[in-house]
Amino acid sequence: MSEKTRTKHRLHKPFLLYGVLIFSIGLVMYLAGILLVFPRYLLGLHATLDPLAHLLVWYSGAPILAGITLALFDLLFMFQHKKPDLPVRYEPIKRRRVTVALTAYNDEESIAGAVEDFLLHPLVERVIVVSNNSTDRTFGFAEAAGAITFNEPSQGYGRCVHRCLSEAAKYTDTEFVVLCEGDSTFRAYDIEKLLAYAPHADIVNGTRTVEPLRQYLTQLSTFIYYGNLFVGKLLEAKHLGLSTITDVGTTYKLCRRTALIDLLDKLNPAVNLEFNAHLLDTALSEGLVLLECPITFHPRIGLSKGGNVNNWRGLQVGSRMIVGLLSDWKRYA
Ligand SMILES: Nc1nc2c(ncn2[C@@H]2O[C@H](COP(=O)(O)OP(=O)(O)O)[C@@H](O)[C@H]2O)c(=O)[nH]1
Ligand SMILES: [Mg+2]
């Protein structure tokens, strides 16, 4: 994308994103007003709650209508200015080999298996593991399994991913970097899938939302599955016309090395569990081509520490992602 198109894209206001959020606020107000029926009738709190219920139901119409208007304005009038009319990109791959970088934080139960899986893949040149100050035997097990190992002393998922990408991008013999986790939720054989889409994009992001490709009992509870989809669609709305996003929380992705080097400078490693949303949002703001590809998702080995620990944690991480999208991640600066 040219500099001119990029600058233009930055100037566009994300009306659809604002519209969806304002509409959602209206919907929550409306439902809260309706649900007050229970304390009003069951507990006999008519005098106190009737005026509030009427107020909520009546005034919820304002954000609902405003939200729909903003969304329609973006979709019907702005879309044509937002989506650049460029031919579909196709950049043939010169050498089908990748450098794999795995995040790890106290993942001693799974790390060796993950390293072996990736090292055995015929398209993998090398496997890097960044242990994020693990206090267990993760580092040693990764090394013994054949990985190039690093320790990242600053704690946090964002710090670990940033270090993974930075170390992997140093290898000039591979055109692509594959980022993944060492917790056995992802499989090396999906590299073929990611590479199939690589000629069309700068980043091919794995999506865990395609039903036959995900095992039923994984970290993706129904709540987290739909939460991911919702925040993914908000991100898509923010960059209307540029990408289709169904999974905002997946680590597994393939990045074109040259694009990654530019992108790394723009990323803030202090963004913690929301880092993936930050990376995708920044990539789109910088004019990179982001494409999704279905990948498989499997049960975790070992204890979860990320955004998928439970639904409450998922809700917190998701809410912080929305704040990040609205504020362009400025509160982390
Ligand atoms: N939560 C967390 N994860 C980290 C950290 N440093 C590295 N990681 C790794 O980043 C990944 C977190 O991803 P996620 O799927 O959200 O959580 P998981 O259930 O722990 O795998 C795991 O592979 C961790 O091993 C950290 O400081 N906190
Ligand atoms: Mg994980």
Side-chain angles (χ1 to χ4, degrees), residues 94-299:
K94 291 183 202 83
R95 188 167 167 260
R96 277 168 63 85
R97 303 281 290 168
V98 302
T99 292
V100 173
L102 303 177
T103 60
Y105 174 45
N106 289 346
D107 283 325
E108 66 176 7
E109 288 173 65
S110 58
I111 195 67
V115 171
E116 280 156 18
D117 182 30
F118 280 97
L119 275 179
L120 280 173
H121 195 282
L123 300 179
V124 172
E125 189 77 33
R126 62 183 66 79
V127 175
I128 290 172
V129 169
V130 174
S131 164
N132 197 193
N133 251 349
S134 298
T135 49
D136 65 1
R137 293 165 293 174
T138 299
F139 192 94
F141 283 180
E143 206 162 39
I148 302 164
T149 37
F150 299 91
N151 181 53
E152 172 51 50
S154 314
Q155 200 66 57
Y157 174 69
R159 305 246 176 230
C160 192
V161 168
H162 199 274
R163 182 76 188 273
C164 273
L165 295 173
S166 308
E167 293 299 340
K170 287 180 187 162
Y171 294 93
T172 52
D173 57 347
T174 44
E175 200 178 328
F176 299 101
V177 168
V178 168
L179 174 74
C180 197
E181 293 181 23
D183 64 358
S184 84
T185 49
F186 300 102
R187 294 290 180 273
Y189 56 65
D190 282 329
I191 288 177
E192 298 273 7
K193 300 182 181 69
L194 298 170
L195 265 174
Y197 289 91
H200 306 293
D202 293 302
I203 298 178
V204 184
N205 200 37
T207 173
R208 304 163 292 177
T209 53
V210 177
E211 281 301 354
L213 299 185
R214 67 184 190 112
Q215 198 170 320
Y216 177 52
L217 289 179
T218 64
Q219 294 173 319
L220 282 187
S221 65
T222 303
F223 178 78
I224 293 177
Y225 177 89
Y226 285 103
N228 243 324
L229 186 64
F230 178 68
V231 183
K233 287 295 153 193
L234 290 181
L235 175 57
E236 182 180 323
K238 179 171 177 180
H239 302 277
L240 185 61
L242 297 187
S243 198
T244 304
I245 301 165
T246 57
D247 188 356
V248 78
T250 176
T251 304
Y252 206 0
K253 55 178 63 58
L254 174 140
C255 309
R256 208 172 268 277
R257 187 182 157 268
T258 44
L260 186 59
I261 289 169
D262 291 341
L263 179 63
L264 278 167
D265 288 342
K266 315 275 177 345
L267 296 176
N268 182 355
V271 178
N272 191 12
L273 294 171
E274 308 84 79
F275 192 81
N276 197 53
H278 170 51
L279 186 153
L280 301 181
D281 187 19
T282 312
L284 287 168
S285 298
E286 290 301 312
L288 299 185
V289 182
L290 170 67
L291 184 60
E292 267 195 351
C293 154
I295 44 143
T296 62
F297 196 58
H298 309 262

